Amino acid sequence: ETGVTQTPRHLVMGMTNKKSLKCEQHLGHNAMYWYKQSAKKPLELMFVYNFKEQTENNSVPSRFSPECPNSSHLFLHLHTLQPEDSALYLCASSQDGTGGTNEKLFFGSGTQLSVL
Amino acid sequence: GEDVEQSLFLSVREGDSSVINCTYTDSSSTYLYWYKQEPGAGLQLLTYIFSNMDMKQDQRLTVLLNKKDKHLSLRIADTQTGDSAIYFCAEMDTGRRALTFGSGTRLQVQP
């Protein structure tokens, strides 16, 4: 148990569906992240939030829409996805996300997403 | 962007030492990390090293850093079957203020 919880663990959706991924951290951290893990690519950073403000959007298509209502919760809203978006989506948190200190990330177990 | 490269696969026998290698490109990285991912799980921080250090030892784990060559390695002594997993090297991307990961090295431990 790392203190970062993701739901659901598995999700199958059609290309016209709208769904949301949820992440919650119980570590008192101020930074939260979404990463995408595909079978044949390195982990790809998608979004970074620091103190609820988005500080990084790594050229992610608009069909992925993040939301961070407070420092403990992070959502990823999905709509009109493509089959190539099928991947493991990992949420992580860290103490302050400034990048200038020892930025230890704590990961959730991920949501395995399949787009049909 | 910054690149972190690792070999994809390593197979060792139980009880042997494993050495997983990594090269990175961001010379301004302050910290470098090793993460472990077991099947069906997220990434777990194993150890890290500050860039002004050459070596760090933590029980069975030894991290070696050659900053001149931008080369990082993780040595696991007395490798056990429970060490079978994917190991990721990561550096702090000082521009994006987030970690950049390698592709991961799958370690297979034969009994």
Side-chain angles (χ1 to χ4, degrees), chain A residues 9 35 37 45 56 58 98 102-105 107-108, chain B residues 33 35 37 40 42-43 48 88 92 96-99:
Chain A
R9 289 297 306 272
Y35 279 88
Q37 185 176 28
L45 176 67
E56 176 73 26
N58 194 24
T98 60
N102 188 352
E103 209 60 59
K104 289 180 273 191
L105 263 62
F107 283 83
Chain B
Y33 304 82
Y35 282 80
Q37 186 178 32
L43 277 68
Y48 60 90
F88 292 89
M92 171 57 67
R96 296 189 306 177
R97 299 188 298 176
L99 295 188

mmCIF file with all atom_site columns, all heavy atoms in Angstrom, chain A residues 9 35 37 45 56 58 98 102-105 107-108, chain B residues 33 35 37 40 42-43 48 88 92 96-99:
data_model
loop_
_atom_site.group_PDB
_atom_site.id
_atom_site.type_symbol
_atom_site.label_atom_id
_atom_site.label_alt_id
_atom_site.label_comp_id
_atom_site.label_asym_id
_atom_site.label_entity_id
_atom_site.label_seq_id
_atom_site.pdbx_PDB_ins_code
_atom_site.Cartn_x
_atom_site.Cartn_y
_atom_site.Cartn_z
_atom_site.occupancy
_atom_site.B_iso_or_equiv
_atom_site.pdbx_formal_charge
_atom_site.auth_seq_id
_atom_site.auth_comp_id
_atom_site.auth_asym_id
_atom_site.auth_atom_id
_atom_site.pdbx_PDB_model_num
ATOM 1   N N   . ARG A 1 9   ? -9.695 -0.324 -11.335 1.00 0.00 ? 9   ARG A N   1
ATOM 2   C CA  . ARG A 1 9   ? -8.454 -1.034 -11.688 1.00 0.00 ? 9   ARG A CA  1
ATOM 3   C C   . ARG A 1 9   ? -8.439 -1.403 -13.162 1.00 0.00 ? 9   ARG A C   1
ATOM 4   O O   . ARG A 1 9   ? -7.393 -1.422 -13.800 1.00 0.00 ? 9   ARG A O   1
ATOM 5   C CB  . ARG A 1 9   ? -8.308 -2.309 -10.848 1.00 0.00 ? 9   ARG A CB  1
ATOM 6   C CG  . ARG A 1 9   ? -7.984 -2.077 -9.391  1.00 0.00 ? 9   ARG A CG  1
ATOM 7   C CD  . ARG A 1 9   ? -6.631 -1.377 -9.186  1.00 0.00 ? 9   ARG A CD  1
ATOM 8   N NE  . ARG A 1 9   ? -5.534 -2.062 -9.849  1.00 0.00 ? 9   ARG A NE  1
ATOM 9   C CZ  . ARG A 1 9   ? -4.824 -3.039 -9.317  1.00 0.00 ? 9   ARG A CZ  1
ATOM 10  N NH1 . ARG A 1 9   ? -5.104 -3.479 -8.113  1.00 0.00 ? 9   ARG A NH1 1
ATOM 11  N NH2 . ARG A 1 9   ? -3.823 -3.581 -10.001 1.00 0.00 ? 9   ARG A NH2 1
ATOM 12  N N   . TYR A 1 35  ? 0.581  9.591  -15.572 1.00 0.00 ? 35  TYR A N   1
ATOM 13  C CA  . TYR A 1 35  ? 1.505  8.984  -16.522 1.00 0.00 ? 35  TYR A CA  1
ATOM 14  C C   . TYR A 1 35  ? 0.751  7.933  -17.331 1.00 0.00 ? 35  TYR A C   1
ATOM 15  O O   . TYR A 1 35  ? -0.152 7.274  -16.814 1.00 0.00 ? 35  TYR A O   1
ATOM 16  C CB  . TYR A 1 35  ? 2.665  8.280  -15.803 1.00 0.00 ? 35  TYR A CB  1
ATOM 17  C CG  . TYR A 1 35  ? 3.790  9.169  -15.343 1.00 0.00 ? 35  TYR A CG  1
ATOM 18  C CD1 . TYR A 1 35  ? 3.753  9.775  -14.097 1.00 0.00 ? 35  TYR A CD1 1
ATOM 19  C CD2 . TYR A 1 35  ? 4.904  9.377  -16.146 1.00 0.00 ? 35  TYR A CD2 1
ATOM 20  C CE1 . TYR A 1 35  ? 4.799  10.581 -13.668 1.00 0.00 ? 35  TYR A CE1 1
ATOM 21  C CE2 . TYR A 1 35  ? 5.964  10.176 -15.721 1.00 0.00 ? 35  TYR A CE2 1
ATOM 22  C CZ  . TYR A 1 35  ? 5.903  10.770 -14.477 1.00 0.00 ? 35  TYR A CZ  1
ATOM 23  O OH  . TYR A 1 35  ? 6.936  11.559 -14.056 1.00 0.00 ? 35  TYR A OH  1
ATOM 24  N N   . GLN A 1 37  ? 1.375  4.396  -19.452 1.00 0.00 ? 37  GLN A N   1
ATOM 25  C CA  . GLN A 1 37  ? 2.324  3.313  -19.685 1.00 0.00 ? 37  GLN A CA  1
ATOM 26  C C   . GLN A 1 37  ? 1.778  2.394  -20.769 1.00 0.00 ? 37  GLN A C   1
ATOM 27  O O   . GLN A 1 37  ? 0.822  1.659  -20.539 1.00 0.00 ? 37  GLN A O   1
ATOM 28  C CB  . GLN A 1 37  ? 2.603  2.527  -18.400 1.00 0.00 ? 37  GLN A CB  1
ATOM 29  C CG  . GLN A 1 37  ? 3.689  1.472  -18.567 1.00 0.00 ? 37  GLN A CG  1
ATOM 30  C CD  . GLN A 1 37  ? 4.034  0.760  -17.273 1.00 0.00 ? 37  GLN A CD  1
ATOM 31  O OE1 . GLN A 1 37  ? 3.214  0.639  -16.371 1.00 0.00 ? 37  GLN A OE1 1
ATOM 32  N NE2 . GLN A 1 37  ? 5.262  0.278  -17.164 1.00 0.00 ? 37  GLN A NE2 1
ATOM 33  N N   . LEU A 1 45  ? 4.871  11.106 -19.332 1.00 0.00 ? 45  LEU A N   1
ATOM 34  C CA  . LEU A 1 45  ? 4.226  12.079 -18.461 1.00 0.00 ? 45  LEU A CA  1
ATOM 35  C C   . LEU A 1 45  ? 3.110  12.763 -19.235 1.00 0.00 ? 45  LEU A C   1
ATOM 36  O O   . LEU A 1 45  ? 3.308  13.207 -20.369 1.00 0.00 ? 45  LEU A O   1
ATOM 37  C CB  . LEU A 1 45  ? 5.256  13.116 -17.996 1.00 0.00 ? 45  LEU A CB  1
ATOM 38  C CG  . LEU A 1 45  ? 4.718  14.250 -17.147 1.00 0.00 ? 45  LEU A CG  1
ATOM 39  C CD1 . LEU A 1 45  ? 4.238  13.732 -15.801 1.00 0.00 ? 45  LEU A CD1 1
ATOM 40  C CD2 . LEU A 1 45  ? 5.780  15.328 -16.957 1.00 0.00 ? 45  LEU A CD2 1
ATOM 41  N N   . GLU A 1 56  ? 1.970  21.350 -15.965 1.00 0.00 ? 56  GLU A N   1
ATOM 42  C CA  . GLU A 1 56  ? 2.539  20.665 -17.125 1.00 0.00 ? 56  GLU A CA  1
ATOM 43  C C   . GLU A 1 56  ? 1.427  19.979 -17.898 1.00 0.00 ? 56  GLU A C   1
ATOM 44  O O   . GLU A 1 56  ? 0.594  19.287 -17.306 1.00 0.00 ? 56  GLU A O   1
ATOM 45  C CB  . GLU A 1 56  ? 3.582  19.621 -16.682 1.00 0.00 ? 56  GLU A CB  1
ATOM 46  C CG  . GLU A 1 56  ? 4.166  18.770 -17.797 1.00 0.00 ? 56  GLU A CG  1
ATOM 47  C CD  . GLU A 1 56  ? 5.143  19.518 -18.687 1.00 0.00 ? 56  GLU A CD  1
ATOM 48  O OE1 . GLU A 1 56  ? 5.745  20.491 -18.221 1.00 0.00 ? 56  GLU A OE1 1
ATOM 49  O OE2 . GLU A 1 56  ? 5.309  19.120 -19.849 1.00 0.00 ? 56  GLU A OE2 1
ATOM 50  N N   . ASN A 1 58  ? 1.763  17.752 -21.242 1.00 0.00 ? 58  ASN A N   1
ATOM 51  C CA  . ASN A 1 58  ? 2.788  17.283 -22.164 1.00 0.00 ? 58  ASN A CA  1
ATOM 52  C C   . ASN A 1 58  ? 2.194  16.976 -23.537 1.00 0.00 ? 58  ASN A C   1
ATOM 53  O O   . ASN A 1 58  ? 2.263  15.844 -24.019 1.00 0.00 ? 58  ASN A O   1
ATOM 54  C CB  . ASN A 1 58  ? 3.461  16.040 -21.563 1.00 0.00 ? 58  ASN A CB  1
ATOM 55  C CG  . ASN A 1 58  ? 4.743  15.692 -22.277 1.00 0.00 ? 58  ASN A CG  1
ATOM 56  O OD1 . ASN A 1 58  ? 5.385  16.533 -22.898 1.00 0.00 ? 58  ASN A OD1 1
ATOM 57  N ND2 . ASN A 1 58  ? 5.123  14.426 -22.205 1.00 0.00 ? 58  ASN A ND2 1
ATOM 58  N N   . THR A 1 98  ? 8.349  20.711 -7.038  1.00 0.00 ? 98  THR A N   1
ATOM 59  C CA  . THR A 1 98  ? 9.084  21.868 -7.544  1.00 0.00 ? 98  THR A CA  1
ATOM 60  C C   . THR A 1 98  ? 10.189 21.463 -8.498  1.00 0.00 ? 98  THR A C   1
ATOM 61  O O   . THR A 1 98  ? 10.704 22.277 -9.250  1.00 0.00 ? 98  THR A O   1
ATOM 62  C CB  . THR A 1 98  ? 9.729  22.658 -6.395  1.00 0.00 ? 98  THR A CB  1
ATOM 63  O OG1 . THR A 1 98  ? 10.639 21.807 -5.702  1.00 0.00 ? 98  THR A OG1 1
ATOM 64  C CG2 . THR A 1 98  ? 8.676  23.176 -5.432  1.00 0.00 ? 98  THR A CG2 1
ATOM 65  N N   . ASN A 1 102 ? 14.505 16.508 -3.884  1.00 0.00 ? 102 ASN A N   1
ATOM 66  C CA  . ASN A 1 102 ? 14.427 15.074 -4.101  1.00 0.00 ? 102 ASN A CA  1
ATOM 67  C C   . ASN A 1 102 ? 12.965 14.698 -4.305  1.00 0.00 ? 102 ASN A C   1
ATOM 68  O O   . ASN A 1 102 ? 12.224 14.523 -3.352  1.00 0.00 ? 102 ASN A O   1
ATOM 69  C CB  . ASN A 1 102 ? 15.033 14.345 -2.903  1.00 0.00 ? 102 ASN A CB  1
ATOM 70  C CG  . ASN A 1 102 ? 15.153 12.871 -3.150  1.00 0.00 ? 102 ASN A CG  1
ATOM 71  O OD1 . ASN A 1 102 ? 14.656 12.343 -4.144  1.00 0.00 ? 102 ASN A OD1 1
ATOM 72  N ND2 . ASN A 1 102 ? 15.793 12.187 -2.236  1.00 0.00 ? 102 ASN A ND2 1
ATOM 73  N N   . GLU A 1 103 ? 12.565 14.604 -5.551  1.00 0.00 ? 103 GLU A N   1
ATOM 74  C CA  . GLU A 1 103 ? 11.151 14.465 -5.886  1.00 0.00 ? 103 GLU A CA  1
ATOM 75  C C   . GLU A 1 103 ? 10.758 13.000 -5.947  1.00 0.00 ? 103 GLU A C   1
ATOM 76  O O   . GLU A 1 103 ? 10.590 12.438 -7.021  1.00 0.00 ? 103 GLU A O   1
ATOM 77  C CB  . GLU A 1 103 ? 10.892 15.150 -7.229  1.00 0.00 ? 103 GLU A CB  1
ATOM 78  C CG  . GLU A 1 103 ? 9.497  15.700 -7.385  1.00 0.00 ? 103 GLU A CG  1
ATOM 79  C CD  . GLU A 1 103 ? 9.160  16.728 -6.337  1.00 0.00 ? 103 GLU A CD  1
ATOM 80  O OE1 . GLU A 1 103 ? 9.848  17.742 -6.247  1.00 0.00 ? 103 GLU A OE1 1
ATOM 81  O OE2 . GLU A 1 103 ? 8.194  16.510 -5.594  1.00 0.00 ? 103 GLU A OE2 1
ATOM 82  N N   . LYS A 1 104 ? 10.609 12.382 -4.791  1.00 0.00 ? 104 LYS A N   1
ATOM 83  C CA  . LYS A 1 104 ? 10.235 10.979 -4.756  1.00 0.00 ? 104 LYS A CA  1
ATOM 84  C C   . LYS A 1 104 ? 8.760  10.830 -5.100  1.00 0.00 ? 104 LYS A C   1
ATOM 85  O O   . LYS A 1 104 ? 7.900  11.433 -4.452  1.00 0.00 ? 104 LYS A O   1
ATOM 86  C CB  . LYS A 1 104 ? 10.518 10.401 -3.366  1.00 0.00 ? 104 LYS A CB  1
ATOM 87  C CG  . LYS A 1 104 ? 12.007 10.237 -3.080  1.00 0.00 ? 104 LYS A CG  1
ATOM 88  C CD  . LYS A 1 104 ? 12.251 9.679  -1.705  1.00 0.00 ? 104 LYS A CD  1
ATOM 89  C CE  . LYS A 1 104 ? 12.300 10.780 -0.672  1.00 0.00 ? 104 LYS A CE  1
ATOM 90  N NZ  . LYS A 1 104 ? 12.792 10.311 0.631   1.00 0.00 ? 104 LYS A NZ  1
ATOM 91  N N   . LEU A 1 105 ? 8.493  10.037 -6.114  1.00 0.00 ? 105 LEU A N   1
ATOM 92  C CA  . LEU A 1 105 ? 7.112  9.800  -6.527  1.00 0.00 ? 105 LEU A CA  1
ATOM 93  C C   . LEU A 1 105 ? 6.572  8.528  -5.906  1.00 0.00 ? 105 LEU A C   1
ATOM 94  O O   . LEU A 1 105 ? 7.272  7.525  -5.811  1.00 0.00 ? 105 LEU A O   1
ATOM 95  C CB  . LEU A 1 105 ? 7.037  9.677  -8.057  1.00 0.00 ? 105 LEU A CB  1
ATOM 96  C CG  . LEU A 1 105 ? 6.651  10.926 -8.852  1.00 0.00 ? 105 LEU A CG  1
ATOM 97  C CD1 . LEU A 1 105 ? 7.671  12.024 -8.635  1.00 0.00 ? 105 LEU A CD1 1
ATOM 98  C CD2 . LEU A 1 105 ? 6.489  10.601 -10.310 1.00 0.00 ? 105 LEU A CD2 1
ATOM 99  N N   . PHE A 1 107 ? 3.440  5.932  -6.499  1.00 0.00 ? 107 PHE A N   1
ATOM 100 C CA  . PHE A 1 107 ? 2.502  5.573  -7.547  1.00 0.00 ? 107 PHE A CA  1
ATOM 101 C C   . PHE A 1 107 ? 1.334  4.761  -7.016  1.00 0.00 ? 107 PHE A C   1
ATOM 102 O O   . PHE A 1 107 ? 1.473  3.958  -6.083  1.00 0.00 ? 107 PHE A O   1
ATOM 103 C CB  . PHE A 1 107 ? 3.200  4.734  -8.621  1.00 0.00 ? 107 PHE A CB  1
ATOM 104 C CG  . PHE A 1 107 ? 4.064  5.533  -9.554  1.00 0.00 ? 107 PHE A CG  1
ATOM 105 C CD1 . PHE A 1 107 ? 5.361  5.866  -9.206  1.00 0.00 ? 107 PHE A CD1 1
ATOM 106 C CD2 . PHE A 1 107 ? 3.566  5.964  -10.775 1.00 0.00 ? 107 PHE A CD2 1
ATOM 107 C CE1 . PHE A 1 107 ? 6.158  6.607  -10.065 1.00 0.00 ? 107 PHE A CE1 1
ATOM 108 C CE2 . PHE A 1 107 ? 4.359  6.700  -11.641 1.00 0.00 ? 107 PHE A CE2 1
ATOM 109 C CZ  . PHE A 1 107 ? 5.655  7.022  -11.293 1.00 0.00 ? 107 PHE A CZ  1
ATOM 110 N N   . GLY A 1 108 ? 0.196  4.933  -7.679  1.00 0.00 ? 108 GLY A N   1
ATOM 111 C CA  . GLY A 1 108 ? -0.907 4.015  -7.501  1.00 0.00 ? 108 GLY A CA  1
ATOM 112 C C   . GLY A 1 108 ? -0.693 2.773  -8.359  1.00 0.00 ? 108 GLY A C   1
ATOM 113 O O   . GLY A 1 108 ? 0.290  2.677  -9.096  1.00 0.00 ? 108 GLY A O   1
ATOM 114 N N   . TYR B 2 33  ? 16.959 7.961  -9.930  1.00 0.00 ? 33  TYR B N   1
ATOM 115 C CA  . TYR B 2 33  ? 16.133 7.038  -9.174  1.00 0.00 ? 33  TYR B CA  1
ATOM 116 C C   . TYR B 2 33  ? 16.078 5.667  -9.830  1.00 0.00 ? 33  TYR B C   1
ATOM 117 O O   . TYR B 2 33  ? 16.200 5.534  -11.053 1.00 0.00 ? 33  TYR B O   1
ATOM 118 C CB  . TYR B 2 33  ? 14.690 7.571  -9.113  1.00 0.00 ? 33  TYR B CB  1
ATOM 119 C CG  . TYR B 2 33  ? 14.557 8.966  -8.554  1.00 0.00 ? 33  TYR B CG  1
ATOM 120 C CD1 . TYR B 2 33  ? 14.771 10.080 -9.361  1.00 0.00 ? 33  TYR B CD1 1
ATOM 121 C CD2 . TYR B 2 33  ? 14.205 9.173  -7.220  1.00 0.00 ? 33  TYR B CD2 1
ATOM 122 C CE1 . TYR B 2 33  ? 14.645 11.359 -8.859  1.00 0.00 ? 33  TYR B CE1 1
ATOM 123 C CE2 . TYR B 2 33  ? 14.075 10.455 -6.715  1.00 0.00 ? 33  TYR B CE2 1
ATOM 124 C CZ  . TYR B 2 33  ? 14.298 11.542 -7.538  1.00 0.00 ? 33  TYR B CZ  1
ATOM 125 O OH  . TYR B 2 33  ? 14.173 12.808 -7.036  1.00 0.00 ? 33  TYR B OH  1
ATOM 126 N N   . TYR B 2 35  ? 13.202 2.573  -9.798  1.00 0.00 ? 35  TYR B N   1
ATOM 127 C CA  . TYR B 2 35  ? 11.871 2.110  -9.417  1.00 0.00 ? 35  TYR B CA  1
ATOM 128 C C   . TYR B 2 35  ? 11.704 0.653  -9.845  1.00 0.00 ? 35  TYR B C   1
ATOM 129 O O   . TYR B 2 35  ? 12.299 0.209  -10.825 1.00 0.00 ? 35  TYR B O   1
ATOM 130 C CB  . TYR B 2 35  ? 10.781 2.945  -10.093 1.00 0.00 ? 35  TYR B CB  1
ATOM 131 C CG  . TYR B 2 35  ? 10.542 4.291  -9.460  1.00 0.00 ? 35  TYR B CG  1
ATOM 132 C CD1 . TYR B 2 35  ? 11.372 5.370  -9.730  1.00 0.00 ? 35  TYR B CD1 1
ATOM 133 C CD2 . TYR B 2 35  ? 9.474  4.483  -8.582  1.00 0.00 ? 35  TYR B CD2 1
ATOM 134 C CE1 . TYR B 2 35  ? 11.153 6.595  -9.139  1.00 0.00 ? 35  TYR B CE1 1
ATOM 135 C CE2 . TYR B 2 35  ? 9.246  5.715  -7.994  1.00 0.00 ? 35  TYR B CE2 1
ATOM 136 C CZ  . TYR B 2 35  ? 10.095 6.765  -8.278  1.00 0.00 ? 35  TYR B CZ  1
ATOM 137 O OH  . TYR B 2 35  ? 9.865  7.979  -7.693  1.00 0.00 ? 35  TYR B OH  1
ATOM 138 N N   . GLN B 2 37  ? 8.680  -2.343 -10.709 1.00 0.00 ? 37  GLN B N   1
ATOM 139 C CA  . GLN B 2 37  ? 7.265  -2.591 -10.992 1.00 0.00 ? 37  GLN B CA  1
ATOM 140 C C   . GLN B 2 37  ? 7.018  -4.082 -11.069 1.00 0.00 ? 37  GLN B C   1
ATOM 141 O O   . GLN B 2 37  ? 7.529  -4.767 -11.958 1.00 0.00 ? 37  GLN B O   1
ATOM 142 C CB  . GLN B 2 37  ? 6.828  -1.930 -12.300 1.00 0.00 ? 37  GLN B CB  1
ATOM 143 C CG  . GLN B 2 37  ? 5.332  -2.045 -12.560 1.00 0.00 ? 37  GLN B CG  1
ATOM 144 C CD  . GLN B 2 37  ? 4.903  -1.347 -13.841 1.00 0.00 ? 37  GLN B CD  1
ATOM 145 O OE1 . GLN B 2 37  ? 5.651  -1.293 -14.806 1.00 0.00 ? 37  GLN B OE1 1
ATOM 146 N NE2 . GLN B 2 37  ? 3.699  -0.803 -13.845 1.00 0.00 ? 37  GLN B NE2 1
ATOM 147 N N   . GLY B 2 40  ? 0.997  -6.187 -12.453 1.00 0.00 ? 40  GLY B N   1
ATOM 148 C CA  . GLY B 2 40  ? -0.285 -5.689 -11.961 1.00 0.00 ? 40  GLY B CA  1
ATOM 149 C C   . GLY B 2 40  ? -0.181 -4.591 -10.923 1.00 0.00 ? 40  GLY B C   1
ATOM 150 O O   . GLY B 2 40  ? -1.186 -4.241 -10.291 1.00 0.00 ? 40  GLY B O   1
ATOM 151 N N   . GLY B 2 42  ? 1.713  -0.663 -9.550  1.00 0.00 ? 42  GLY B N   1
ATOM 152 C CA  . GLY B 2 42  ? 2.372  0.566  -9.957  1.00 0.00 ? 42  GLY B CA  1
ATOM 153 C C   . GLY B 2 42  ? 3.857  0.498  -9.673  1.00 0.00 ? 42  GLY B C   1
ATOM 154 O O   . GLY B 2 42  ? 4.395  -0.541 -9.293  1.00 0.00 ? 42  GLY B O   1
ATOM 155 N N   . LEU B 2 43  ? 4.537  1.614  -9.859  1.00 0.00 ? 43  LEU B N   1
ATOM 156 C CA  . LEU B 2 43  ? 5.976  1.660  -9.626  1.00 0.00 ? 43  LEU B CA  1
ATOM 157 C C   . LEU B 2 43  ? 6.264  1.955  -8.163  1.00 0.00 ? 43  LEU B C   1
ATOM 158 O O   . LEU B 2 43  ? 5.606  2.778  -7.539  1.00 0.00 ? 43  LEU B O   1
ATOM 159 C CB  . LEU B 2 43  ? 6.619  2.750  -10.493 1.00 0.00 ? 43  LEU B CB  1
ATOM 160 C CG  . LEU B 2 43  ? 6.936  2.375  -11.935 1.00 0.00 ? 43  LEU B CG  1
ATOM 161 C CD1 . LEU B 2 43  ? 5.681  2.168  -12.751 1.00 0.00 ? 43  LEU B CD1 1
ATOM 162 C CD2 . LEU B 2 43  ? 7.826  3.441  -12.568 1.00 0.00 ? 43  LEU B CD2 1
ATOM 163 N N   . TYR B 2 48  ? 17.582 5.879  -4.562  1.00 0.00 ? 48  TYR B N   1
ATOM 164 C CA  . TYR B 2 48  ? 17.922 7.040  -5.364  1.00 0.00 ? 48  TYR B CA  1
ATOM 165 C C   . TYR B 2 48  ? 19.329 7.478  -4.982  1.00 0.00 ? 48  TYR B C   1
ATOM 166 O O   . TYR B 2 48  ? 19.868 7.059  -3.950  1.00 0.00 ? 48  TYR B O   1
ATOM 167 C CB  . TYR B 2 48  ? 16.929 8.173  -5.131  1.00 0.00 ? 48  TYR B CB  1
ATOM 168 C CG  . TYR B 2 48  ? 16.875 8.644  -3.702  1.00 0.00 ? 48  TYR B CG  1
ATOM 169 C CD1 . TYR B 2 48  ? 17.692 9.670  -3.243  1.00 0.00 ? 48  TYR B CD1 1
ATOM 170 C CD2 . TYR B 2 48  ? 16.012 8.034  -2.788  1.00 0.00 ? 48  TYR B CD2 1
ATOM 171 C CE1 . TYR B 2 48  ? 17.657 10.087 -1.922  1.00 0.00 ? 48  TYR B CE1 1
ATOM 172 C CE2 . TYR B 2 48  ? 15.972 8.449  -1.471  1.00 0.00 ? 48  TYR B CE2 1
ATOM 173 C CZ  . TYR B 2 48  ? 16.789 9.478  -1.049  1.00 0.00 ? 48  TYR B CZ  1
ATOM 174 O OH  . TYR B 2 48  ? 16.755 9.870  0.265   1.00 0.00 ? 48  TYR B OH  1
ATOM 175 N N   . PHE B 2 88  ? 12.944 0.396  -13.496 1.00 0.00 ? 88  PHE B N   1
ATOM 176 C CA  . PHE B 2 88  ? 12.986 1.648  -14.247 1.00 0.00 ? 88  PHE B CA  1
ATOM 177 C C   . PHE B 2 88  ? 14.004 2.598  -13.629 1.00 0.00 ? 88  PHE B C   1
ATOM 178 O O   . PHE B 2 88  ? 14.015 2.823  -12.417 1.00 0.00 ? 88  PHE B O   1
ATOM 179 C CB  . PHE B 2 88  ? 11.618 2.346  -14.227 1.00 0.00 ? 88  PHE B CB  1
ATOM 180 C CG  . PHE B 2 88  ? 10.551 1.622  -14.980 1.00 0.00 ? 88  PHE B CG  1
ATOM 181 C CD1 . PHE B 2 88  ? 9.768  0.660  -14.358 1.00 0.00 ? 88  PHE B CD1 1
ATOM 182 C CD2 . PHE B 2 88  ? 10.308 1.910  -16.318 1.00 0.00 ? 88  PHE B CD2 1
ATOM 183 C CE1 . PHE B 2 88  ? 8.769  -0.004 -15.048 1.00 0.00 ? 88  PHE B CE1 1
ATOM 184 C CE2 . PHE B 2 88  ? 9.305  1.249  -17.017 1.00 0.00 ? 88  PHE B CE2 1
ATOM 185 C CZ  . PHE B 2 88  ? 8.541  0.288  -16.379 1.00 0.00 ? 88  PHE B CZ  1
ATOM 186 N N   . MET B 2 92  ? 15.405 13.416 -12.907 1.00 0.00 ? 92  MET B N   1
ATOM 187 C CA  . MET B 2 92  ? 14.553 14.594 -12.770 1.00 0.00 ? 92  MET B CA  1
ATOM 188 C C   . MET B 2 92  ? 14.777 15.482 -13.989 1.00 0.00 ? 92  MET B C   1
ATOM 189 O O   . MET B 2 92  ? 15.889 15.938 -14.238 1.00 0.00 ? 92  MET B O   1
ATOM 190 C CB  . MET B 2 92  ? 14.891 15.339 -11.484 1.00 0.00 ? 92  MET B CB  1
ATOM 191 C CG  . MET B 2 92  ? 14.210 16.692 -11.351 1.00 0.00 ? 92  MET B CG  1
ATOM 192 S SD  . MET B 2 92  ? 12.407 16.590 -11.451 1.00 0.00 ? 92  MET B SD  1
ATOM 193 C CE  . MET B 2 92  ? 12.052 15.708 -9.942  1.00 0.00 ? 92  MET B CE  1
ATOM 194 N N   . ARG B 2 96  ? 10.844 20.352 -17.026 1.00 0.00 ? 96  ARG B N   1
ATOM 195 C CA  . ARG B 2 96  ? 9.428  20.075 -16.821 1.00 0.00 ? 96  ARG B CA  1
ATOM 196 C C   . ARG B 2 96  ? 9.100  19.820 -15.354 1.00 0.00 ? 96  ARG B C   1
ATOM 197 O O   . ARG B 2 96  ? 7.939  19.652 -14.997 1.00 0.00 ? 96  ARG B O   1
ATOM 198 C CB  . ARG B 2 96  ? 9.009  18.853 -17.652 1.00 0.00 ? 96  ARG B CB  1
ATOM 199 C CG  . ARG B 2 96  ? 9.123  19.085 -19.147 1.00 0.00 ? 96  ARG B CG  1
ATOM 200 C CD  . ARG B 2 96  ? 8.495  17.951 -19.911 1.00 0.00 ? 96  ARG B CD  1
ATOM 201 N NE  . ARG B 2 96  ? 9.040  16.673 -19.522 1.00 0.00 ? 96  ARG B NE  1
ATOM 202 C CZ  . ARG B 2 96  ? 8.616  15.515 -19.999 1.00 0.00 ? 96  ARG B CZ  1
ATOM 203 N NH1 . ARG B 2 96  ? 7.635  15.490 -20.873 1.00 0.00 ? 96  ARG B NH1 1
ATOM 204 N NH2 . ARG B 2 96  ? 9.141  14.383 -19.613 1.00 0.00 ? 96  ARG B NH2 1
ATOM 205 N N   . ARG B 2 97  ? 10.130 19.763 -14.521 1.00 0.00 ? 97  ARG B N   1
ATOM 206 C CA  . ARG B 2 97  ? 9.927  19.529 -13.085 1.00 0.00 ? 97  ARG B CA  1
ATOM 207 C C   . ARG B 2 97  ? 9.147  18.246 -12.841 1.00 0.00 ? 97  ARG B C   1
ATOM 208 O O   . ARG B 2 97  ? 8.202  18.210 -12.069 1.00 0.00 ? 97  ARG B O   1
ATOM 209 C CB  . ARG B 2 97  ? 9.239  20.732 -12.435 1.00 0.00 ? 97  ARG B CB  1
ATOM 210 C CG  . ARG B 2 97  ? 10.056 22.014 -12.552 1.00 0.00 ? 97  ARG B CG  1
ATOM 211 C CD  . ARG B 2 97  ? 9.461  23.135 -11.760 1.00 0.00 ? 97  ARG B CD  1
ATOM 212 N NE  . ARG B 2 97  ? 8.127  23.478 -12.223 1.00 0.00 ? 97  ARG B NE  1
ATOM 213 C CZ  . ARG B 2 97  ? 7.365  24.387 -11.644 1.00 0.00 ? 97  ARG B CZ  1
ATOM 214 N NH1 . ARG B 2 97  ? 7.797  25.036 -10.595 1.00 0.00 ? 97  ARG B NH1 1
ATOM 215 N NH2 . ARG B 2 97  ? 6.176  24.647 -12.115 1.00 0.00 ? 97  ARG B NH2 1
ATOM 216 N N   . ALA B 2 98  ? 9.529  17.194 -13.544 1.00 0.00 ? 98  ALA B N   1
ATOM 217 C CA  . ALA B 2 98  ? 8.919  15.873 -13.346 1.00 0.00 ? 98  ALA B CA  1
ATOM 218 C C   . ALA B 2 98  ? 9.936  14.823 -13.766 1.00 0.00 ? 98  ALA B C   1
ATOM 219 O O   . ALA B 2 98  ? 10.915 15.115 -14.445 1.00 0.00 ? 98  ALA B O   1
ATOM 220 C CB  . ALA B 2 98  ? 7.641  15.740 -14.169 1.00 0.00 ? 98  ALA B CB  1
ATOM 221 N N   . LEU B 2 99  ? 9.711  13.598 -13.339 1.00 0.00 ? 99  LEU B N   1
ATOM 222 C CA  . LEU B 2 99  ? 10.642 12.532 -13.656 1.00 0.00 ? 99  LEU B CA  1
ATOM 223 C C   . LEU B 2 99  ? 10.476 12.061 -15.100 1.00 0.00 ? 99  LEU B C   1
ATOM 224 O O   . LEU B 2 99  ? 9.358  11.949 -15.605 1.00 0.00 ? 99  LEU B O   1
ATOM 225 C CB  . LEU B 2 99  ? 10.441 11.345 -12.723 1.00 0.00 ? 99  LEU B CB  1
ATOM 226 C CG  . LEU B 2 99  ? 10.747 11.557 -11.242 1.00 0.00 ? 99  LEU B CG  1
ATOM 227 C CD1 . LEU B 2 99  ? 10.686 10.236 -10.497 1.00 0.00 ? 99  LEU B CD1 1
ATOM 228 C CD2 . LEU B 2 99  ? 12.092 12.213 -11.048 1.00 0.00 ? 99  LEU B CD2 1
#
